[in-house]
Amino acid sequence: MAFQWPVRIYWEDTDAGGIVFYANYLKFFERARTEWLRSIGFGQHDMREQTGGMFVVTGADLRYHRPARLDDELIVTAAVSEMGKASLTIEQTALLKPAQMNQATSPVLLCEAAIRIGWVAAATMRPSRIPGTLLEQLSS
């Protein structure tokens, strides 16, 4: 089951056309990944302090399906689709909550992404192995 995180759309998220600026989906996805890791006991700051390592985005593939607009309520998801010793691919979606669409009974897909993140040593930014405790938690 994918982690879910709520987002409300504010003026600052929209462009001149009144829809969510395309790059803001990257922010929503980043926040959801951070909250997902925190929810399983791995805060970004704590991981860096305790292990000397951190995740960095190494690739992003996004597809836009429908626009989100001011005041919309979204559900942003995150789920591991591939796991290696030094990187993960996270499948993410931005969904419009059903209550936003009068006729919809299930969330409407707005944007989907495959985000690849790699583990690096924070001091050198060189690739490194993801800590075993984190890999174990992600596997369960």
Side-chain angles (χ1 to χ4, degrees):
M1 179 173 214
F3 173 82
Q4 296 184 356
W5 183 69
V7 172
R8 179 174 300 275
I9 303 303
Y10 299 101
W11 280 115
E12 68 190 29
D13 300 318
T14 63
D15 62 14
I19 62 173
V20 169
F21 181 64
Y22 74 94
N24 284 336
Y25 287 97
L26 288 167
K27 289 184 195 180
F28 303 155
F29 292 151
E30 175 71 29
R31 292 172 187 167
R33 285 192 314 277
T34 297
E35 293 304 324
W36 163 62
L37 286 169
R38 186 186 324 274
S39 77
I40 60 171
F42 293 94
Q44 301 275 7
H45 180 73
D46 290 342
M47 279 192 299
R48 184 175 177 164
E49 291 295 313
Q50 294 169 8
T51 68
M54 62 185 192
F55 283 115
V56 295
V57 173
T58 60
D61 181 24
L62 282 76
R63 290 211 164 80
Y64 302 95
H65 298 278
R66 300 178 102 183
R69 293 178 167 79
L70 180 67
D71 287 333
D72 280 351
E73 292 181 72
L74 310 184
I75 301 164
V76 180
T77 68
V80 175
S81 63
E82 293 178 29
M83 190 178 327
K85 294 184 188 307
S87 68
L88 304 171
T89 299
I90 313 297
E91 296 294 328
Q92 296 196 253
T93 61
L95 307 163
L96 184 64
K97 280 189 176 181
Q100 300 293 299
M101 305 279 292
N102 294 334
Q103 301 167 335
T105 58
S106 60
V108 176
L109 179 62
L110 304 176
C111 182
E112 61 185 329
I115 308 291
R116 187 169 173 85
I117 57 176
W119 186 261
V120 298
T124 63
M125 298 302 287
R126 298 187 74 101
S128 185
R129 287 182 178 250
I130 299 170
T133 53
L134 178 54
L135 283 177
E136 287 173 22
Q137 183 70 24
L138 294 172
S139 300
S140 61

Short mmCIF file of all heavy atoms in Angstrom, two decimals, residues 8-49:
data_model
loop_
_atom_site.label_atom_id
_atom_site.label_comp_id
_atom_site.label_asym_id
_atom_site.label_seq_id
_atom_site.Cartn_x
_atom_site.Cartn_y
_atom_site.Cartn_z
N ARG A 8 -3.12 20.82 -0.06
CA ARG A 8 -4.12 21.78 -0.54
C ARG A 8 -3.41 22.76 -1.45
O ARG A 8 -2.28 23.14 -1.19
CB ARG A 8 -4.80 22.53 0.59
CG ARG A 8 -5.82 23.52 0.01
CD ARG A 8 -6.67 24.22 1.01
NE ARG A 8 -7.49 23.39 1.84
CZ ARG A 8 -8.70 22.93 1.53
NH1 ARG A 8 -9.21 23.18 0.34
NH2 ARG A 8 -9.38 22.22 2.39
N ILE A 9 -4.07 23.17 -2.52
CA ILE A 9 -3.48 24.09 -3.49
C ILE A 9 -3.75 25.54 -3.08
O ILE A 9 -4.91 25.92 -2.87
CB ILE A 9 -4.03 23.82 -4.91
CG1 ILE A 9 -3.78 22.37 -5.32
CG2 ILE A 9 -3.41 24.80 -5.91
CD1 ILE A 9 -2.33 21.91 -5.29
N TYR A 10 -2.69 26.32 -2.98
CA TYR A 10 -2.75 27.74 -2.62
C TYR A 10 -2.37 28.59 -3.82
O TYR A 10 -1.84 28.09 -4.82
CB TYR A 10 -1.80 28.03 -1.45
CG TYR A 10 -2.15 27.26 -0.20
CD1 TYR A 10 -1.43 26.12 0.15
CD2 TYR A 10 -3.18 27.67 0.63
CE1 TYR A 10 -1.76 25.40 1.29
CE2 TYR A 10 -3.52 26.96 1.77
CZ TYR A 10 -2.80 25.84 2.10
OH TYR A 10 -3.11 25.12 3.22
N TRP A 11 -2.60 29.92 -3.69
CA TRP A 11 -2.24 30.84 -4.78
C TRP A 11 -0.80 30.65 -5.22
O TRP A 11 -0.50 30.66 -6.41
CB TRP A 11 -2.42 32.31 -4.33
CG TRP A 11 -3.82 32.81 -4.37
CD1 TRP A 11 -4.58 33.18 -3.30
CD2 TRP A 11 -4.64 33.00 -5.53
NE1 TRP A 11 -5.83 33.59 -3.71
CE2 TRP A 11 -5.88 33.50 -5.09
CE3 TRP A 11 -4.45 32.80 -6.89
CZ2 TRP A 11 -6.92 33.80 -5.95
CZ3 TRP A 11 -5.49 33.11 -7.74
CH2 TRP A 11 -6.70 33.59 -7.29
N GLU A 12 0.10 30.49 -4.27
CA GLU A 12 1.52 30.38 -4.59
C GLU A 12 1.86 29.15 -5.44
O GLU A 12 2.91 29.09 -6.05
CB GLU A 12 2.34 30.33 -3.30
CG GLU A 12 2.12 29.07 -2.51
CD GLU A 12 2.72 29.09 -1.12
OE1 GLU A 12 2.82 30.17 -0.53
OE2 GLU A 12 3.08 28.01 -0.64
N ASP A 13 0.94 28.19 -5.49
CA ASP A 13 1.16 26.97 -6.27
C ASP A 13 0.73 27.10 -7.73
O ASP A 13 1.04 26.24 -8.54
CB ASP A 13 0.39 25.79 -5.66
CG ASP A 13 0.79 25.50 -4.23
OD1 ASP A 13 2.00 25.53 -3.94
OD2 ASP A 13 -0.11 25.25 -3.40
N THR A 14 -0.02 28.16 -8.02
CA THR A 14 -0.62 28.28 -9.35
C THR A 14 0.16 29.23 -10.26
O THR A 14 0.93 30.07 -9.80
CB THR A 14 -2.09 28.74 -9.26
OG1 THR A 14 -2.14 30.04 -8.68
CG2 THR A 14 -2.90 27.77 -8.44
N ASP A 15 -0.10 29.09 -11.57
CA ASP A 15 0.53 29.98 -12.55
C ASP A 15 -0.47 31.03 -13.01
O ASP A 15 -1.58 31.13 -12.47
CB ASP A 15 1.09 29.16 -13.73
CG ASP A 15 0.01 28.41 -14.50
OD1 ASP A 15 -1.20 28.69 -14.32
OD2 ASP A 15 0.38 27.51 -15.29
N ALA A 16 -0.11 31.79 -14.02
CA ALA A 16 -0.97 32.86 -14.52
C ALA A 16 -2.29 32.34 -15.07
O ALA A 16 -3.28 33.07 -15.14
CB ALA A 16 -0.24 33.65 -15.60
N GLY A 17 -2.34 31.07 -15.44
CA GLY A 17 -3.56 30.47 -15.96
C GLY A 17 -4.47 29.92 -14.87
O GLY A 17 -5.54 29.39 -15.16
N GLY A 18 -4.04 30.02 -13.60
CA GLY A 18 -4.85 29.56 -12.49
C GLY A 18 -4.77 28.07 -12.21
O GLY A 18 -5.57 27.54 -11.44
N ILE A 19 -3.80 27.40 -12.81
CA ILE A 19 -3.60 25.98 -12.54
C ILE A 19 -2.26 25.78 -11.86
O ILE A 19 -1.39 26.66 -11.90
CB ILE A 19 -3.70 25.12 -13.82
CG1 ILE A 19 -2.63 25.50 -14.83
CG2 ILE A 19 -5.10 25.26 -14.44
CD1 ILE A 19 -2.57 24.58 -16.04
N VAL A 20 -2.08 24.61 -11.26
CA VAL A 20 -0.81 24.35 -10.57
C VAL A 20 0.33 24.39 -11.59
O VAL A 20 0.28 23.73 -12.62
CB VAL A 20 -0.85 22.99 -9.84
CG1 VAL A 20 0.54 22.58 -9.35
CG2 VAL A 20 -1.82 23.04 -8.68
N PHE A 21 1.35 25.18 -11.28
CA PHE A 21 2.56 25.28 -12.10
C PHE A 21 3.21 23.90 -12.12
O PHE A 21 3.39 23.27 -11.08
CB PHE A 21 3.48 26.34 -11.51
CG PHE A 21 4.75 26.55 -12.28
CD1 PHE A 21 4.72 27.03 -13.57
CD2 PHE A 21 5.98 26.27 -11.69
CE1 PHE A 21 5.90 27.23 -14.28
CE2 PHE A 21 7.15 26.47 -12.39
CZ PHE A 21 7.11 26.95 -13.69
N TYR A 22 3.57 23.45 -13.30
CA TYR A 22 4.02 22.06 -13.48
C TYR A 22 5.16 21.66 -12.55
O TYR A 22 5.20 20.53 -12.05
CB TYR A 22 4.40 21.81 -14.95
CG TYR A 22 5.70 22.43 -15.36
CD1 TYR A 22 6.89 21.72 -15.32
CD2 TYR A 22 5.76 23.76 -15.79
CE1 TYR A 22 8.08 22.28 -15.68
CE2 TYR A 22 6.95 24.33 -16.16
CZ TYR A 22 8.11 23.60 -16.10
OH TYR A 22 9.31 24.17 -16.45
N ALA A 23 6.10 22.54 -12.28
CA ALA A 23 7.25 22.19 -11.45
C ALA A 23 6.87 22.00 -9.98
O ALA A 23 7.59 21.34 -9.23
CB ALA A 23 8.34 23.25 -11.57
N ASN A 24 5.73 22.53 -9.57
CA ASN A 24 5.32 22.38 -8.18
C ASN A 24 4.97 20.94 -7.82
O ASN A 24 5.02 20.57 -6.65
CB ASN A 24 4.17 23.33 -7.85
CG ASN A 24 4.66 24.75 -7.70
OD1 ASN A 24 5.83 24.99 -7.41
ND2 ASN A 24 3.78 25.71 -7.92
N TYR A 25 4.64 20.13 -8.82
CA TYR A 25 4.40 18.72 -8.51
C TYR A 25 5.66 18.08 -7.96
O TYR A 25 5.59 17.19 -7.10
CB TYR A 25 3.89 17.97 -9.74
CG TYR A 25 2.46 18.32 -10.09
CD1 TYR A 25 2.18 19.27 -11.05
CD2 TYR A 25 1.39 17.71 -9.43
CE1 TYR A 25 0.87 19.60 -11.37
CE2 TYR A 25 0.09 18.03 -9.73
CZ TYR A 25 -0.17 18.99 -10.70
OH TYR A 25 -1.47 19.32 -11.00
N LEU A 26 6.82 18.52 -8.41
CA LEU A 26 8.08 18.00 -7.86
C LEU A 26 8.19 18.32 -6.37
O LEU A 26 8.66 17.49 -5.59
CB LEU A 26 9.28 18.56 -8.63
CG LEU A 26 9.46 18.01 -10.03
CD1 LEU A 26 10.47 18.85 -10.80
CD2 LEU A 26 9.87 16.56 -10.00
N LYS A 27 7.75 19.52 -5.98
CA LYS A 27 7.76 19.89 -4.56
C LYS A 27 6.80 18.99 -3.77
O LYS A 27 7.14 18.52 -2.68
CB LYS A 27 7.30 21.34 -4.37
CG LYS A 27 8.26 22.38 -4.81
CD LYS A 27 7.66 23.73 -4.45
CE LYS A 27 8.32 24.86 -5.14
NZ LYS A 27 7.73 26.15 -4.76
N PHE A 28 5.61 18.77 -4.32
CA PHE A 28 4.64 17.92 -3.63
C PHE A 28 5.20 16.51 -3.46
O PHE A 28 5.06 15.90 -2.39
CB PHE A 28 3.32 17.85 -4.40
CG PHE A 28 2.66 19.18 -4.65
CD1 PHE A 28 1.79 19.33 -5.71
CD2 PHE A 28 2.88 20.29 -3.84
CE1 PHE A 28 1.16 20.53 -5.97
CE2 PHE A 28 2.26 21.51 -4.09
CZ PHE A 28 1.39 21.62 -5.16
N PHE A 29 5.84 15.99 -4.50
CA PHE A 29 6.41 14.65 -4.44
C PHE A 29 7.56 14.58 -3.44
O PHE A 29 7.68 13.61 -2.69
CB PHE A 29 6.86 14.18 -5.83
CG PHE A 29 5.73 13.94 -6.80
CD1 PHE A 29 5.92 14.11 -8.15
CD2 PHE A 29 4.47 13.54 -6.37
CE1 PHE A 29 4.89 13.88 -9.05
CE2 PHE A 29 3.42 13.32 -7.25
CZ PHE A 29 3.64 13.49 -8.60
N GLU A 30 8.40 15.61 -3.41
CA GLU A 30 9.52 15.65 -2.45
C GLU A 30 9.00 15.63 -1.02
O GLU A 30 9.50 14.89 -0.17
CB GLU A 30 10.36 16.91 -2.68
CG GLU A 30 11.47 17.12 -1.68
CD GLU A 30 12.63 16.14 -1.84
OE1 GLU A 30 12.87 15.68 -2.96
OE2 GLU A 30 13.29 15.85 -0.82
N ARG A 31 8.00 16.44 -0.74
CA ARG A 31 7.44 16.50 0.61
C ARG A 31 6.82 15.17 1.01
O ARG A 31 6.98 14.73 2.15
CB ARG A 31 6.44 17.64 0.70
CG ARG A 31 7.12 18.99 0.59
CD ARG A 31 6.14 20.12 0.49
NE ARG A 31 6.85 21.37 0.21
CZ ARG A 31 6.26 22.47 -0.17
NH1 ARG A 31 4.94 22.51 -0.31
NH2 ARG A 31 6.97 23.54 -0.42
N ALA A 32 6.11 14.54 0.08
CA ALA A 32 5.50 13.25 0.38
C ALA A 32 6.56 12.19 0.67
O ALA A 32 6.40 11.38 1.60
CB ALA A 32 4.59 12.79 -0.76
N ARG A 33 7.66 12.18 -0.11
CA ARG A 33 8.74 11.21 0.16
C ARG A 33 9.35 11.46 1.53
O ARG A 33 9.64 10.53 2.28
CB ARG A 33 9.82 11.28 -0.92
CG ARG A 33 9.45 10.66 -2.22
CD ARG A 33 10.63 10.49 -3.16
NE ARG A 33 11.49 11.64 -3.28
CZ ARG A 33 11.26 12.69 -4.10
NH1 ARG A 33 10.17 12.72 -4.84
NH2 ARG A 33 12.12 13.68 -4.16
N THR A 34 9.56 12.72 1.87
CA THR A 34 10.13 13.07 3.17
C THR A 34 9.22 12.62 4.30
O THR A 34 9.68 12.04 5.29
CB THR A 34 10.40 14.58 3.25
OG1 THR A 34 11.36 14.93 2.25
CG2 THR A 34 10.91 15.00 4.61
N GLU A 35 7.93 12.88 4.17
CA GLU A 35 6.97 12.49 5.22
C GLU A 35 6.82 10.98 5.30
O GLU A 35 6.63 10.43 6.38
CB GLU A 35 5.63 13.18 5.01
CG GLU A 35 5.67 14.68 5.19
CD GLU A 35 6.21 15.12 6.54
OE1 GLU A 35 5.95 14.45 7.57
OE2 GLU A 35 6.93 16.14 6.58
N TRP A 36 6.91 10.31 4.16
CA TRP A 36 6.85 8.85 4.14
C TRP A 36 8.03 8.27 4.92
O TRP A 36 7.87 7.39 5.77
CB TRP A 36 6.85 8.37 2.68
CG TRP A 36 7.20 6.94 2.49
CD1 TRP A 36 6.53 5.85 2.97
CD2 TRP A 36 8.31 6.43 1.76
NE1 TRP A 36 7.16 4.69 2.57
CE2 TRP A 36 8.26 5.03 1.83
CE3 TRP A 36 9.33 7.03 1.03
CZ2 TRP A 36 9.21 4.24 1.21
CZ3 TRP A 36 10.26 6.24 0.42
CH2 TRP A 36 10.19 4.85 0.51
N LEU A 37 9.25 8.76 4.64
CA LEU A 37 10.43 8.27 5.36
C LEU A 37 10.31 8.57 6.85
O LEU A 37 10.63 7.73 7.69
CB LEU A 37 11.71 8.87 4.78
CG LEU A 37 12.14 8.30 3.44
CD1 LEU A 37 13.26 9.15 2.82
CD2 LEU A 37 12.58 6.85 3.57
N ARG A 38 9.83 9.78 7.18
CA ARG A 38 9.66 10.14 8.58
C ARG A 38 8.65 9.20 9.26
O ARG A 38 8.84 8.80 10.40
CB ARG A 38 9.18 11.59 8.68
CG ARG A 38 9.11 12.14 10.09
CD ARG A 38 8.48 13.53 10.20
NE ARG A 38 8.77 14.45 9.13
CZ ARG A 38 9.84 15.23 9.05
NH1 ARG A 38 10.76 15.17 9.99
NH2 ARG A 38 9.99 16.06 8.04
N SER A 39 7.59 8.82 8.53
CA SER A 39 6.55 7.96 9.11
C SER A 39 7.06 6.56 9.44
O SER A 39 6.47 5.87 10.27
CB SER A 39 5.34 7.88 8.17
OG SER A 39 5.59 7.00 7.08
N ILE A 40 8.14 6.14 8.79
CA ILE A 40 8.71 4.82 9.10
C ILE A 40 9.97 4.94 9.97
O ILE A 40 10.74 4.00 10.10
CB ILE A 40 8.99 3.99 7.82
CG1 ILE A 40 9.98 4.67 6.89
CG2 ILE A 40 7.68 3.67 7.12
CD1 ILE A 40 10.44 3.79 5.72
N GLY A 41 10.17 6.15 10.54
CA GLY A 41 11.24 6.33 11.51
C GLY A 41 12.57 6.80 10.95
O GLY A 41 13.59 6.66 11.63
N PHE A 42 12.56 7.37 9.74
CA PHE A 42 13.81 7.81 9.13
C PHE A 42 13.70 9.26 8.66
O PHE A 42 13.55 9.53 7.48
CB PHE A 42 14.19 6.90 7.95
CG PHE A 42 14.55 5.51 8.38
CD1 PHE A 42 13.60 4.51 8.40
CD2 PHE A 42 15.84 5.21 8.81
CE1 PHE A 42 13.92 3.23 8.82
CE2 PHE A 42 16.16 3.94 9.23
CZ PHE A 42 15.21 2.95 9.24
N GLY A 43 13.79 10.19 9.61
CA GLY A 43 13.81 11.61 9.26
C GLY A 43 15.09 11.95 8.51
O GLY A 43 16.15 11.42 8.81
N GLN A 44 14.97 12.83 7.55
CA GLN A 44 16.11 13.18 6.69
C GLN A 44 17.31 13.71 7.51
O GLN A 44 18.44 13.28 7.32
CB GLN A 44 15.70 14.24 5.66
CG GLN A 44 14.59 13.80 4.75
CD GLN A 44 15.08 13.01 3.55
OE1 GLN A 44 16.24 12.66 3.42
NE2 GLN A 44 14.16 12.73 2.66
N HIS A 45 17.04 14.64 8.41
CA HIS A 45 18.12 15.23 9.21
C HIS A 45 18.77 14.18 10.11
O HIS A 45 20.00 14.09 10.19
CB HIS A 45 17.59 16.40 10.03
CG HIS A 45 18.63 17.05 10.87
ND1 HIS A 45 19.61 17.86 10.35
CD2 HIS A 45 18.88 17.00 12.21
CE1 HIS A 45 20.40 18.28 11.32
NE2 HIS A 45 19.98 17.77 12.45
N ASP A 46 17.93 13.37 10.77
CA ASP A 46 18.45 12.33 11.65
C ASP A 46 19.29 11.31 10.89
O ASP A 46 20.34 10.88 11.38
CB ASP A 46 17.31 11.63 12.39
CG ASP A 46 16.64 12.53 13.41
OD1 ASP A 46 17.24 13.55 13.81
OD2 ASP A 46 15.51 12.20 13.82
N MET A 47 18.83 10.92 9.70
CA MET A 47 19.60 9.96 8.90
C MET A 47 20.99 10.50 8.60
O MET A 47 21.98 9.80 8.71
CB MET A 47 18.89 9.64 7.58
CG MET A 47 17.78 8.63 7.70
SD MET A 47 17.20 8.01 6.11
CE MET A 47 16.60 9.47 5.31
N ARG A 48 21.03 11.78 8.23
CA ARG A 48 22.33 12.39 7.88
C ARG A 48 23.23 12.45 9.11
O ARG A 48 24.42 12.14 9.03
CB ARG A 48 22.10 13.78 7.30
CG ARG A 48 23.39 14.41 6.85
CD ARG A 48 23.15 15.73 6.18
NE ARG A 48 24.43 16.32 5.83
CZ ARG A 48 24.58 17.29 4.99
NH1 ARG A 48 23.55 17.81 4.38
NH2 ARG A 48 25.76 17.77 4.74
N GLU A 49 22.67 12.85 10.24
CA GLU A 49 23.45 12.95 11.47
C GLU A 49 23.95 11.59 11.94
O GLU A 49 25.08 11.46 12.38
CB GLU A 49 22.62 13.62 12.58
CG GLU A 49 22.34 15.08 12.34
CD GLU A 49 23.59 15.94 12.36
OE1 GLU A 49 24.42 15.78 13.29
OE2 GLU A 49 23.76 16.76 11.44
#
